[in-house]
Amino acid sequence: MKMDQIAFLPFLPTFQSETRLVANLMFYGLERPLSRDWVQLIEQQFVRYSLEPQELCYTAHSKDKSGDYSSLKSELEDALSCNAKYELKSIRVRSKAVAPEDGFLPCDMEISVDTGGPTHARGSISVSIDKAPDLEEFATQTSHDVSRIGGCYYGHSSLFPAILGPEYYLGSVGTIPKGWSFISTRAYTKRLTAWRDHGANRISLNGYFREVFPYNFLTKHHLNQRILGKPAADLFKEFGTLEEFGASASQYVWKVPLVLIPKAREVLEEANLVLSAR
């Protein structure tokens, strides 16, 4: 993978050619509570990429419980059967650790689902590029799976540097890799902070964007507006393709070629629709 494939995020620090990238897919605004369906979806993704879930962490009573996946799975399912009592809020599953200990994504695959409250971080799926197919295949297959369970959502897919940790990006936490300076990540952290401050207002229902990515999963709320005097759908088609997909007729995917992302981002920022820039 060429490093210019992540150049669409200009605020990211400069990376060396050996930087490990992951194919990353994130969703926001998932409404359905945690259930056995989510566990089945997680396991399905691991099977698809010939990986095994090894580590499980889930949050109940505001406390994290972590351990071996096979040992904790039955306990997790018990918690899911009486969700209100356990106040189950999140599930995170990882494959076997393969990266250095100081890596923010130390495994081939990590899936986390968070439906625990009114927050901008509602769910993420992260797969290392070593184990994933091309980005489009990954984004298409997994987004259809999530759509069947979670309904409509806002989301995006891209390549992401594992050294910064996709889960930290989801949660808007500025992370500094070992040996890096605050100056090198200043622009990155600034946009994380803006997203954290502005992204909690149910963006899937308000038509906002986090950034412009190669794959942008939109709802009718994104399309039912005018942007700089144009119908939103017409503007989106100027910069890529717009298609309906999934189990709902109100779910769309906007695919933007890398060369057009800077201009698309500029237009949406001018319209005050990019929350990371506000």
Side-chain angles (χ1 to χ4, degrees), residues 122-153:
R122 287 295 189 94
S124 68
I125 297 178
S126 305
V127 182
S128 78
I129 202 66
D130 296 333
K131 298 295 182 181
D134 64 72
L135 184 61
E136 180 166 8
E137 182 178 346
F138 163 67
T140 301
Q141 289 179 334
T142 306
S143 61
H144 277 275
D145 293 341
V146 173
S147 177
R148 285 194 292 270
I149 296 178
C152 286
Y153 49 75

mmCIF file of all heavy atoms in Angstrom, residues 122-153:
data_model
loop_
_atom_site.group_PDB
_atom_site.id
_atom_site.type_symbol
_atom_site.label_atom_id
_atom_site.label_comp_id
_atom_site.label_asym_id
_atom_site.label_seq_id
_atom_site.Cartn_x
_atom_site.Cartn_y
_atom_site.Cartn_z
ATOM 1 N N ARG A 122 -19.917 5.379 18.688
ATOM 2 C CA ARG A 122 -20.919 4.338 18.839
ATOM 3 C C ARG A 122 -20.478 2.963 18.368
ATOM 4 O O ARG A 122 -21.110 1.984 18.694
ATOM 5 C CB ARG A 122 -22.197 4.738 18.091
ATOM 6 C CG ARG A 122 -22.992 5.842 18.765
ATOM 7 C CD ARG A 122 -23.523 5.365 20.116
ATOM 8 N NE ARG A 122 -24.444 6.339 20.669
ATOM 9 C CZ ARG A 122 -25.756 6.287 20.506
ATOM 10 N NH1 ARG A 122 -26.295 5.313 19.812
ATOM 11 N NH2 ARG A 122 -26.525 7.210 21.037
ATOM 12 N N GLY A 123 -19.457 2.825 17.571
ATOM 13 C CA GLY A 123 -19.049 1.507 17.128
ATOM 14 C C GLY A 123 -17.926 1.596 16.114
ATOM 15 O O GLY A 123 -17.852 2.546 15.353
ATOM 16 N N SER A 124 -17.037 0.631 16.130
ATOM 17 C CA SER A 124 -15.952 0.655 15.155
ATOM 18 C C SER A 124 -15.559 -0.750 14.759
ATOM 19 O O SER A 124 -15.745 -1.694 15.520
ATOM 20 C CB SER A 124 -14.719 1.367 15.725
ATOM 21 O OG SER A 124 -14.148 0.603 16.766
ATOM 22 N N ILE A 125 -15.056 -0.882 13.553
ATOM 23 C CA ILE A 125 -14.510 -2.151 13.096
ATOM 24 C C ILE A 125 -13.157 -1.854 12.467
ATOM 25 O O ILE A 125 -13.053 -1.002 11.592
ATOM 26 C CB ILE A 125 -15.424 -2.826 12.063
ATOM 27 C CG1 ILE A 125 -16.772 -3.152 12.718
ATOM 28 C CG2 ILE A 125 -14.791 -4.088 11.512
ATOM 29 C CD1 ILE A 125 -17.768 -3.768 11.777
ATOM 30 N N SER A 126 -12.112 -2.543 12.937
ATOM 31 C CA SER A 126 -10.763 -2.296 12.453
ATOM 32 C C SER A 126 -10.106 -3.604 12.040
ATOM 33 O O SER A 126 -10.110 -4.561 12.808
ATOM 34 C CB SER A 126 -9.915 -1.634 13.543
ATOM 35 O OG SER A 126 -10.529 -0.462 14.010
ATOM 36 N N VAL A 127 -9.561 -3.642 10.839
ATOM 37 C CA VAL A 127 -8.895 -4.834 10.339
ATOM 38 C C VAL A 127 -7.552 -4.425 9.759
ATOM 39 O O VAL A 127 -7.471 -3.455 9.015
ATOM 40 C CB VAL A 127 -9.724 -5.525 9.229
ATOM 41 C CG1 VAL A 127 -9.038 -6.790 8.751
ATOM 42 C CG2 VAL A 127 -11.129 -5.836 9.727
ATOM 43 N N SER A 128 -6.481 -5.143 10.132
ATOM 44 C CA SER A 128 -5.182 -4.776 9.579
ATOM 45 C C SER A 128 -5.153 -5.035 8.083
ATOM 46 O O SER A 128 -5.762 -5.978 7.584
ATOM 47 C CB SER A 128 -4.061 -5.574 10.248
ATOM 48 O OG SER A 128 -4.005 -6.878 9.724
ATOM 49 N N ILE A 129 -4.451 -4.178 7.361
ATOM 50 C CA ILE A 129 -4.414 -4.307 5.906
ATOM 51 C C ILE A 129 -3.731 -5.595 5.469
ATOM 52 O O ILE A 129 -3.950 -6.093 4.381
ATOM 53 C CB ILE A 129 -3.726 -3.080 5.274
ATOM 54 C CG1 ILE A 129 -4.140 -2.921 3.804
ATOM 55 C CG2 ILE A 129 -2.233 -3.140 5.461
ATOM 56 C CD1 ILE A 129 -5.588 -2.587 3.621
ATOM 57 N N ASP A 130 -2.916 -6.188 6.357
ATOM 58 C CA ASP A 130 -2.255 -7.447 6.019
ATOM 59 C C ASP A 130 -3.264 -8.572 5.817
ATOM 60 O O ASP A 130 -3.061 -9.469 5.003
ATOM 61 C CB ASP A 130 -1.287 -7.863 7.135
ATOM 62 C CG ASP A 130 -0.153 -6.866 7.293
ATOM 63 O OD1 ASP A 130 0.178 -6.206 6.300
ATOM 64 O OD2 ASP A 130 0.370 -6.745 8.405
ATOM 65 N N LYS A 131 -4.361 -8.517 6.580
ATOM 66 C CA LYS A 131 -5.331 -9.603 6.546
ATOM 67 C C LYS A 131 -6.598 -9.243 5.761
ATOM 68 O O LYS A 131 -7.449 -10.089 5.555
ATOM 69 C CB LYS A 131 -5.728 -9.988 7.971
ATOM 70 C CG LYS A 131 -4.560 -10.498 8.810
ATOM 71 C CD LYS A 131 -4.009 -11.800 8.246
ATOM 72 C CE LYS A 131 -2.878 -12.319 9.102
ATOM 73 N NZ LYS A 131 -2.304 -13.565 8.569
ATOM 74 N N ALA A 132 -6.724 -8.008 5.378
ATOM 75 C CA ALA A 132 -7.933 -7.578 4.684
ATOM 76 C C ALA A 132 -7.738 -7.630 3.181
ATOM 77 O O ALA A 132 -6.621 -7.538 2.683
ATOM 78 C CB ALA A 132 -8.286 -6.148 5.094
ATOM 79 N N PRO A 133 -8.821 -7.758 2.415
ATOM 80 C CA PRO A 133 -8.730 -7.611 0.965
ATOM 81 C C PRO A 133 -8.618 -6.128 0.630
ATOM 82 O O PRO A 133 -8.299 -5.319 1.497
ATOM 83 C CB PRO A 133 -10.054 -8.202 0.486
ATOM 84 C CG PRO A 133 -10.998 -7.914 1.613
ATOM 85 C CD PRO A 133 -10.178 -8.040 2.871
ATOM 86 N N ASP A 134 -8.904 -5.749 -0.600
ATOM 87 C CA ASP A 134 -8.846 -4.325 -0.909
ATOM 88 C C ASP A 134 -9.910 -3.578 -0.110
ATOM 89 O O ASP A 134 -10.874 -4.154 0.377
ATOM 90 C CB ASP A 134 -9.028 -4.085 -2.417
ATOM 91 C CG ASP A 134 -10.395 -4.513 -2.915
ATOM 92 O OD1 ASP A 134 -11.387 -3.836 -2.608
ATOM 93 O OD2 ASP A 134 -10.458 -5.535 -3.609
ATOM 94 N N LEU A 135 -9.700 -2.282 0.046
ATOM 95 C CA LEU A 135 -10.539 -1.479 0.928
ATOM 96 C C LEU A 135 -12.007 -1.526 0.526
ATOM 97 O O LEU A 135 -12.891 -1.599 1.379
ATOM 98 C CB LEU A 135 -10.028 -0.035 0.944
ATOM 99 C CG LEU A 135 -10.748 0.916 1.900
ATOM 100 C CD1 LEU A 135 -10.618 0.442 3.339
ATOM 101 C CD2 LEU A 135 -10.178 2.329 1.756
ATOM 102 N N GLU A 136 -12.294 -1.498 -0.778
ATOM 103 C CA GLU A 136 -13.694 -1.492 -1.209
ATOM 104 C C GLU A 136 -14.408 -2.781 -0.813
ATOM 105 O O GLU A 136 -15.542 -2.759 -0.339
ATOM 106 C CB GLU A 136 -13.801 -1.275 -2.717
ATOM 107 C CG GLU A 136 -15.245 -1.261 -3.193
ATOM 108 C CD GLU A 136 -15.406 -0.732 -4.601
ATOM 109 O OE1 GLU A 136 -14.389 -0.507 -5.276
ATOM 110 O OE2 GLU A 136 -16.565 -0.524 -5.018
ATOM 111 N N GLU A 137 -13.758 -3.910 -0.995
ATOM 112 C CA GLU A 137 -14.379 -5.182 -0.629
ATOM 113 C C GLU A 137 -14.644 -5.237 0.866
ATOM 114 O O GLU A 137 -15.717 -5.642 1.316
ATOM 115 C CB GLU A 137 -13.476 -6.342 -1.046
ATOM 116 C CG GLU A 137 -14.083 -7.713 -0.749
ATOM 117 C CD GLU A 137 -13.187 -8.846 -1.220
ATOM 118 O OE1 GLU A 137 -12.249 -8.593 -1.998
ATOM 119 O OE2 GLU A 137 -13.425 -9.991 -0.786
ATOM 120 N N PHE A 138 -13.667 -4.819 1.645
ATOM 121 C CA PHE A 138 -13.827 -4.791 3.092
ATOM 122 C C PHE A 138 -14.973 -3.878 3.503
ATOM 123 O O PHE A 138 -15.861 -4.256 4.282
ATOM 124 C CB PHE A 138 -12.522 -4.326 3.729
ATOM 125 C CG PHE A 138 -12.651 -3.872 5.162
ATOM 126 C CD1 PHE A 138 -12.971 -4.764 6.163
ATOM 127 C CD2 PHE A 138 -12.421 -2.545 5.501
ATOM 128 C CE1 PHE A 138 -13.085 -4.346 7.481
ATOM 129 C CE2 PHE A 138 -12.525 -2.119 6.811
ATOM 130 C CZ PHE A 138 -12.855 -3.018 7.801
ATOM 131 N N ALA A 139 -14.981 -2.649 2.970
ATOM 132 C CA ALA A 139 -16.003 -1.675 3.345
ATOM 133 C C ALA A 139 -17.388 -2.155 2.955
ATOM 134 O O ALA A 139 -18.357 -2.024 3.721
ATOM 135 C CB ALA A 139 -15.701 -0.328 2.688
ATOM 136 N N THR A 140 -17.514 -2.737 1.764
ATOM 137 C CA THR A 140 -18.817 -3.161 1.260
ATOM 138 C C THR A 140 -19.374 -4.333 2.058
ATOM 139 O O THR A 140 -20.520 -4.307 2.504
ATOM 140 C CB THR A 140 -18.714 -3.540 -0.222
ATOM 141 O OG1 THR A 140 -18.255 -2.411 -0.968
ATOM 142 C CG2 THR A 140 -20.069 -3.977 -0.764
ATOM 143 N N GLN A 141 -18.575 -5.363 2.250
ATOM 144 C CA GLN A 141 -19.053 -6.553 2.945
ATOM 145 C C GLN A 141 -19.454 -6.245 4.384
ATOM 146 O O GLN A 141 -20.543 -6.608 4.839
ATOM 147 C CB GLN A 141 -17.976 -7.636 2.931
ATOM 148 C CG GLN A 141 -17.749 -8.264 1.577
ATOM 149 C CD GLN A 141 -16.654 -9.322 1.615
ATOM 150 O OE1 GLN A 141 -15.759 -9.281 2.450
ATOM 151 N NE2 GLN A 141 -16.735 -10.274 0.709
ATOM 152 N N THR A 142 -18.583 -5.579 5.100
ATOM 153 C CA THR A 142 -18.838 -5.359 6.520
ATOM 154 C C THR A 142 -19.961 -4.362 6.746
ATOM 155 O O THR A 142 -20.770 -4.519 7.665
ATOM 156 C CB THR A 142 -17.557 -4.881 7.225
ATOM 157 O OG1 THR A 142 -16.509 -5.814 6.948
ATOM 158 C CG2 THR A 142 -17.763 -4.802 8.725
ATOM 159 N N SER A 143 -20.056 -3.329 5.919
ATOM 160 C CA SER A 143 -21.128 -2.349 6.090
ATOM 161 C C SER A 143 -22.492 -2.980 5.863
ATOM 162 O O SER A 143 -23.462 -2.635 6.555
ATOM 163 C CB SER A 143 -20.925 -1.164 5.142
ATOM 164 O OG SER A 143 -20.953 -1.575 3.784
ATOM 165 N N HIS A 144 -22.603 -3.914 4.937
ATOM 166 C CA HIS A 144 -23.874 -4.616 4.732
ATOM 167 C C HIS A 144 -24.220 -5.453 5.963
ATOM 168 O O HIS A 144 -25.383 -5.501 6.379
ATOM 169 C CB HIS A 144 -23.797 -5.500 3.492
ATOM 170 C CG HIS A 144 -24.056 -4.766 2.216
ATOM 171 N ND1 HIS A 144 -25.324 -4.543 1.726
ATOM 172 C CD2 HIS A 144 -23.211 -4.179 1.333
ATOM 173 C CE1 HIS A 144 -25.253 -3.869 0.594
ATOM 174 N NE2 HIS A 144 -23.980 -3.631 0.332
ATOM 175 N N ASP A 145 -23.225 -6.098 6.552
ATOM 176 C CA ASP A 145 -23.478 -6.892 7.756
ATOM 177 C C ASP A 145 -23.995 -6.010 8.893
ATOM 178 O O ASP A 145 -24.963 -6.357 9.577
ATOM 179 C CB ASP A 145 -22.193 -7.596 8.210
ATOM 180 C CG ASP A 145 -21.735 -8.664 7.229
ATOM 181 O OD1 ASP A 145 -22.568 -9.121 6.412
ATOM 182 O OD2 ASP A 145 -20.541 -9.032 7.273
ATOM 183 N N VAL A 146 -23.349 -4.870 9.102
ATOM 184 C CA VAL A 146 -23.747 -3.971 10.183
ATOM 185 C C VAL A 146 -25.124 -3.378 9.919
ATOM 186 O O VAL A 146 -25.930 -3.200 10.839
ATOM 187 C CB VAL A 146 -22.695 -2.859 10.374
ATOM 188 C CG1 VAL A 146 -23.167 -1.821 11.375
ATOM 189 C CG2 VAL A 146 -21.374 -3.471 10.832
ATOM 190 N N SER A 147 -25.429 -3.085 8.665
ATOM 191 C CA SER A 147 -26.727 -2.511 8.312
ATOM 192 C C SER A 147 -27.875 -3.436 8.706
ATOM 193 O O SER A 147 -28.927 -2.986 9.157
ATOM 194 C CB SER A 147 -26.780 -2.227 6.806
ATOM 195 O OG SER A 147 -28.043 -1.730 6.427
ATOM 196 N N ARG A 148 -27.670 -4.738 8.565
ATOM 197 C CA ARG A 148 -28.737 -5.686 8.891
ATOM 198 C C ARG A 148 -29.061 -5.685 10.377
ATOM 199 O O ARG A 148 -30.193 -5.950 10.773
ATOM 200 C CB ARG A 148 -28.331 -7.094 8.447
ATOM 201 C CG ARG A 148 -28.409 -7.312 6.942
ATOM 202 C CD ARG A 148 -28.334 -8.790 6.597
ATOM 203 N NE ARG A 148 -27.024 -9.352 6.883
ATOM 204 C CZ ARG A 148 -26.026 -9.383 6.000
ATOM 205 N NH1 ARG A 148 -26.208 -8.881 4.788
ATOM 206 N NH2 ARG A 148 -24.867 -9.909 6.328
ATOM 207 N N ILE A 149 -28.079 -5.372 11.206
ATOM 208 C CA ILE A 149 -28.309 -5.384 12.647
ATOM 209 C C ILE A 149 -28.561 -3.987 13.199
ATOM 210 O O ILE A 149 -29.461 -3.766 13.997
ATOM 211 C CB ILE A 149 -27.099 -6.004 13.385
ATOM 212 C CG1 ILE A 149 -26.929 -7.465 12.983
ATOM 213 C CG2 ILE A 149 -27.278 -5.903 14.894
ATOM 214 C CD1 ILE A 149 -25.741 -8.145 13.622
ATOM 215 N N GLY A 150 -27.754 -3.032 12.763
ATOM 216 C CA GLY A 150 -27.793 -1.704 13.366
ATOM 217 C C GLY A 150 -28.721 -0.722 12.704
ATOM 218 O O GLY A 150 -28.943 0.367 13.236
ATOM 219 N N GLY A 151 -29.263 -1.059 11.511
ATOM 220 C CA GLY A 151 -30.106 -0.106 10.811
ATOM 221 C C GLY A 151 -29.283 0.986 10.157
ATOM 222 O O GLY A 151 -28.120 0.796 9.830
ATOM 223 N N CYS A 152 -29.887 2.153 9.988
ATOM 224 C CA CYS A 152 -29.203 3.266 9.315
ATOM 225 C C CYS A 152 -28.134 3.867 10.223
ATOM 226 O O CYS A 152 -28.271 3.901 11.438
ATOM 227 C CB CYS A 152 -30.199 4.354 8.939
ATOM 228 S SG CYS A 152 -31.244 3.916 7.554
ATOM 229 N N TYR A 153 -27.095 4.365 9.612
ATOM 230 C CA TYR A 153 -26.013 4.958 10.381
ATOM 231 C C TYR A 153 -25.211 5.886 9.497
ATOM 232 O O TYR A 153 -25.276 5.835 8.275
ATOM 233 C CB TYR A 153 -25.077 3.874 10.927
ATOM 234 C CG TYR A 153 -24.640 2.868 9.878
ATOM 235 C CD1 TYR A 153 -23.697 3.191 8.909
ATOM 236 C CD2 TYR A 153 -25.212 1.601 9.842
ATOM 237 C CE1 TYR A 153 -23.312 2.282 7.942
ATOM 238 C CE2 TYR A 153 -24.839 0.683 8.875
ATOM 239 C CZ TYR A 153 -23.889 1.026 7.930
ATOM 240 O OH TYR A 153 -23.527 0.129 6.958
#
